[in-house]
Amino acid sequence: MLGRLHTWWSHIRDRYTKAPPDRRDAGNTTENVIWIAFLAALALTVIGIFGPQILDAARSVVFQ
């Protein structure tokens, strides 16, 4: 059992400490860019729809 745990941990450690070969992460980079663009578009859409309501609510706040 301890041997399997050590082997598993060694594989995990090696995966994250070694530099990836050329072009190995090209797909991940593209996927990350797509997700960032999607989330930015979603944020702009939400702000466009609910922006005036958020501003009105912020203006009506009274601090005591």
Side-chain angles (χ1 to χ4, degrees):
M1 176 88 169
L2 187 59
R4 285 185 183 175
L5 180 63
H6 179 68
T7 303
W8 175 76
W9 183 252
S10 296
H11 287 290
I12 298 290
R13 186 189 64 216
D14 290 344
R15 180 179 298 164
Y16 289 107
T17 57
K18 291 182 181 177
D22 292 338
R23 309 268 310 148
R24 186 173 122 186
D25 65 335
N28 290 338
T29 302
T30 304
E31 184 179 353
N32 290 343
V33 169
I34 291 170
W35 273 109
I36 291 169
F38 170 75
L39 293 174
L42 181 63
L44 290 173
T45 303
V46 168
I47 290 171
I49 293 171
F50 298 109
Q53 294 172 354
I54 293 171
L55 289 176
D56 290 340
R59 287 186 188 119
S60 66
V61 172
V62 177
F63 294 102
Q64 296 180 358

